[in-house]
Amino acid sequence: MSKILEFKNICLTYQTLKSETQAIKNTTFSIDQGEFVSIVGPSGCGKTTVLTMISGLLKPSSGEILIDGEKVTKVSTNVGYMLQRDNLFEWLTVNQNIMIGPKINHKKNCLSKEKLKELVNKYGLAGFEKSKPNELSGGMRQRVSLIRTLALNPKLLLLDEPFSALDYQTRLSVQNDIHSIIRSENKTAILVTHDISEAIVMSDKIIVLTKRPGTIKQIINLDFDKSLTPLERRSDPLFNKYFEELWRELQ
Amino acid sequence: MKKTIKIKKNKFEGSAEHRYYIQKEHTKTFLIHLARILLLIAFIGIWELAAYLEWADPFIISSPSRIVKQTIELYNNGSLFTHISTTLNETLLAFLLSTVIGAVIAVILYMVTPLRKILEPYIVILNSLPKIALGPLIIIWVGIGTKAIVTMGILICVVITTINLLNGYLGVSDEKIMLLKSMGANRFQILNKLIFPATLPNFVSTLKINLGMAWVGVIMGEYLSSQAGLGYLLVYGGQIFKLDLVMTAIVILCILSAIMYGIISIFERIVMKKR
Ligand SMILES: Nc1ncnc2c1ncn2[C@@H]1O[C@H](COP(=O)(O)OP(=O)(O)OP(=O)(O)O)[C@@H](O)[C@H]1O
Ligand SMILES: [Mg+2]
């Protein structure tokens, strides 16, 4: 398998007048094309920082990040960044929200209108194209946000705790949805989460970070049957095994 | 309260409770309007009566009928509309120019952070400066008459417009900006797609404030130097001790500013819907 992302010996220190904070220290990992990877670790250990650097919005203090073998120097539409809050624009309709990315990029390298319409239908948003975000449920908003990210046809998706604002029930079903969307679109994804079980049901590989300054503590490869959905993984015997392992790692 | 809101949102018509609720709300609105009109009538009536029965000297307090008479007199000697249009034009000009200038400055300050930081204290000082103090300077620099009046109007409006708009722009969530950046948006796209639409409500409320300030500025300007206009009437009436004239000018001002405010409110509704 080809490596889509190489994160090489990265350090990052935030400078402020009052202090400097080393958020990430000597961290190296790589991700293969088509992999679903979760990053877990204690609060404030630098998970968001890692994603922000991969997105090109933040430069590492040292080390280099390669995407498809090319050094990341600025924002690229090859990478789609889905923030924790959906940040939908309240004054735009669902359709217009989805089209923000393509509009900004003058439709270059974007999904076609037909393809987007198909996604909208597939993910339970048919009939809501002309609705404003405040008429949608939390789960629907999250799906709009995902489709908005997919509209630019990124190879690599960065998901920063995308489910944390949802209630448990919705969360389980949106996990299922988003997992299947990402699988069927054949994307590579990096998911940051606080939720151990979420990391287990969604990913092929889990990266555990130490507390700040964050660096890799452990990488756990999960070998669930490829055909299982996140929901089905929850009742798989392997689930408990991984849960205990991760739990210990995070103590 | 919660329950009534729910009922109101319900699209099925016809529950008896709902109809009762609607009726009650309509009645309430009607009564409020009625009370407003009655208050106005009572005010005018008592004023008239007070003057008629000479509870107070009509020479000092004037009276509604004297105001009407005065208005007709102004109309007959042909100066009524000259005064009104003079002030109205000056106000509109000051309002439009200060909005445009204020918006341009606000956008520049928003985009150029160092400049914003450098100018911050000066803007605060300018804002708290009583602009009327600049009166003599204005007259010397731009001359008397319309130019001076509009300049005064602009000076009064422009700083507060800038501050209001800028604060609106700065209040837009960083995450949304980051989102657009991560999609490859440049600075102008961020302005266009996010900052302007997100702050549209703030823009409209700034317009409202600005309009009120424009009236203040223009009347002040007319106090300073003018040959015509409602402010001129006020000063002139005061000087020759003709309070009917003063009161007439005030009443016309009230009516005009109410009409302009109404127009902006309609504009607000259209804009917010189109958004
Ligand atoms: N812009 C910034 N300036 C200074 N320090 C920052 C900045 N952003 C983050 N930090 C610090 O860097 C560290 C890592 O932050 P980061 O947001 O990456 O953590 P996180 O793992 O995502 O935390 P959480 O799980 O709570 O979201 C934290 O200690 C934080 O205080
Ligand atoms: Mg975070």
Side-chain angles (χ1 to χ4, degrees):
Chain A
M1 280 231 186
S2 62
K3 289 197 175 98
I4 187 166
L5 173 76
E6 289 171 83
F7 203 77
K8 286 181 162 168
N9 210 13
I10 299 288
C11 295
L12 185 114
T13 306
Y14 285 109
Q15 302 286 355
T16 61
L17 283 182
K18 288 209 190 79
S19 65
E20 54 176 6
T21 312
Q22 187 170 37
I24 290 291
K25 198 179 83 187
N26 301 333
T27 301
T28 302
F29 63 87
S30 65
I31 292 176
D32 288 339
Q33 168 68 39
E35 255 188 325
F36 200 122
V37 176
S38 290
I39 301 180
V40 298
S43 185
C45 72
K47 302 181 294 295
T48 299
T49 306
V50 167
L51 292 195
T52 314
M53 283 191 287
I54 297 173
S55 76
L57 290 167
L58 180 66
K59 271 206 181 67
S61 311
S62 68
E64 58 178 9
I65 302 172
L66 306 181
I67 292 180
D68 274 338
E70 266 181 56
K71 188 167 172 184
V72 175
T73 51
K74 58 176 177 33
V75 168
S76 145
T77 52
N78 279 332
V79 181
Y81 195 175
M82 185 170 162
L83 303 166
Q84 174 169 346
R85 275 176 290 268
D86 56 58
N87 279 302
L88 296 179
F89 292 2
E90 308 86 44
W91 58 91
L92 298 180
T93 63
V94 165
N95 251 349
Q96 291 167 330
N97 265 294
I98 291 172
M99 293 302 292
I100 292 177
K103 273 233 174 96
I104 285 173
N105 290 283
H106 310 293
K107 312 233 159 131
K108 261 181 263 154
N109 311 321
C110 300
L111 294 188
S112 66
K113 267 221 161 85
E114 293 70 39
K115 180 76 192 160
L116 283 172
K117 197 164 167 41
E118 193 188 309
L119 285 180
V120 165
N121 291 336
K122 206 150 124 203
Y123 302 115
L125 294 162
F128 289 93
E129 292 92 339
K130 297 223 154 56
S131 305
K132 295 278 169 72
N134 61 12
E135 298 160 42
L136 307 181
S137 70
M140 292 163 89
R141 293 176 65 115
Q142 216 62 25
R143 288 191 294 256
V144 175
S145 163
L146 180 68
I147 297 177
R148 178 182 59 189
T149 313
L150 290 173
L152 281 172
N153 204 10
K155 290 186 193 156
L156 175 62
L157 278 164
L158 309 175
L159 312 169
D160 194 357
E161 305 190 42
F163 313 120
S164 57
L166 306 176
D167 64 78
Y168 190 65
Q169 201 72 19
T170 317
R171 197 170 172 153
L172 292 190
S173 77
V174 177
Q175 278 171 4
N176 243 9
D177 292 347
I178 290 195
H179 187 263
S180 81
I181 298 173
I182 288 171
R183 270 282 130 80
S184 65
E185 307 302 321
N186 194 22
K187 302 288 182 200
T188 310
I190 306 178
L191 169 75
V192 161
T193 177
H194 268 121
D195 179 342
I196 300 180
S197 54
E198 180 168 286
I200 298 172
V201 298
M202 302 287 282
S203 5
D204 303 312
K205 183 160 105 186
I206 300 176
I207 297 175
V208 185
L209 295 183
T210 61
K211 45 178 213 290
R212 191 166 60 83
T215 186
I216 294 191
K217 188 172 190 192
Q218 169 87 18
I219 296 183
I220 302 175
N221 286 300
L222 308 174
D223 4 80
F224 284 102
D225 187 317
K226 280 271 179 261
S227 64
L228 293 184
T229 66
L231 216 50
E232 288 161 349
R233 281 191 188 188
R234 284 179 191 270
S235 45
D236 194 282
L238 280 173
F239 179 84
N240 283 333
K241 177 181 156 251
Y242 289 133
F243 193 94
E244 269 164 37
E245 188 176 346
L246 257 177
W247 179 262
R248 266 197 318 272
E249 286 299 340
L250 285 170
Q251 288 313 299
Chain B
M1 192 58 199
K2 247 196 171 141
K3 197 169 178 199
T4 51
I5 286 168
K6 246 188 189 160
I7 291 169
K8 212 175 160 189
K9 271 192 177 166
N10 197 340
K11 288 215 173 105
F12 309 108
E13 295 235 17
S15 113
E17 198 186 351
H18 184 209
R19 258 172 306 173
Y20 176 68
Y21 169 78
I22 289 182
Q23 203 177 15
K24 224 171 64 184
E25 286 299 301
H26 281 338
T27 318
K28 256 190 229 162
T29 325
F30 172 73
L31 286 177
I32 285 170
H33 283 302
L34 189 67
R36 281 180 190 157
I37 293 168
L38 288 180
L39 187 65
L40 184 64
I41 292 174
F43 177 72
I44 294 173
I46 291 172
W47 187 3
E48 185 67 44
L49 208 63
Y52 183 73
L53 298 177
E54 304 213 355
W55 296 342
D57 189 349
F59 181 72
I60 305 284
I61 63 162
S62 186
S63 79
S65 59
R66 298 178 82 154
I67 290 172
V68 172
K69 235 176 17 214
Q70 180 67 62
T71 311
I72 292 170
E73 194 186 312
L74 284 175
Y75 177 76
N76 285 338
N77 72 27
S79 65
L80 179 65
F81 290 112
T82 319
H83 291 303
I84 289 181
S85 68
T86 306
T87 300
L88 203 58
N89 287 341
E90 289 162 351
T91 306
L92 285 176
L93 200 58
F95 169 66
L96 289 176
L97 284 176
S98 62
T99 304
V100 171
I101 298 171
V104 170
I105 298 177
V107 170
I108 292 174
L109 291 182
Y110 176 72
M111 303 272 276
V112 191
T113 310
L115 191 65
R116 178 173 74 241
K117 297 246 162 89
I118 293 169
L119 293 182
E120 206 175 74
Y122 299 108
I123 293 174
V124 172
I125 292 171
L126 274 183
N127 189 39
S128 53
L129 176 78
K131 277 42 153 219
I132 189 77
L134 301 175
L137 284 183
I138 294 176
I139 290 184
I140 292 167
W141 287 347
V142 304
I144 53 168
T146 311
K147 268 197 213 151
I149 295 165
V150 174
T151 308
M152 181 54 95
I154 293 174
L155 281 180
I156 294 243
C157 298
V158 84
V159 185
I160 192 73
T161 305
T162 307
I163 291 177
N164 278 344
L165 292 178
L166 184 60
N167 282 339
Y169 300 159
L170 292 173
V172 173
S173 106
D174 287 341
E175 274 192 18
K176 287 198 166 78
I177 296 173
M178 215 166 100
L179 176 91
L180 285 192
K181 276 191 187 157
S182 81
M183 292 174 159
N186 61 35
R187 291 151 64 87
F188 295 100
Q189 288 174 319
I190 290 175
L191 271 184
N192 244 332
K193 302 263 182 248
L194 174 61
I195 305 293
F196 291 149
T199 57
L200 196 60
N202 174 56
F203 178 71
V204 176
S205 75
T206 303
L207 285 189
K208 277 184 172 170
I209 297 171
N210 212 1
L211 184 58
M213 301 292 279
W215 284 111
V216 175
V218 163
I219 297 298
M220 260 195 213
E222 287 184 348
Y223 279 7
L224 227 54
S225 92
S226 60
Q227 270 82 55
L230 296 168
Y232 166 81
L233 281 187
L234 286 170
V235 177
Y236 176 70
Q239 276 169 356
I240 61 168
F241 245 77
K242 202 171 172 196
L243 293 190
D244 290 344
L245 202 54
V246 174
M247 288 294 186
T248 305
I250 293 174
V251 169
I252 295 175
L253 263 178
C254 282
I255 295 171
L256 286 181
S257 56
I259 293 173
M260 296 253 284
Y261 191 84
I263 293 174
I264 288 217
S265 299
I266 293 170
F267 172 74
E268 177 177 22
R269 241 173 282 164
I270 295 172
V271 166
M272 297 306 284
K273 242 190 216 158
K274 276 223 170 129
R275 198 164 88 125

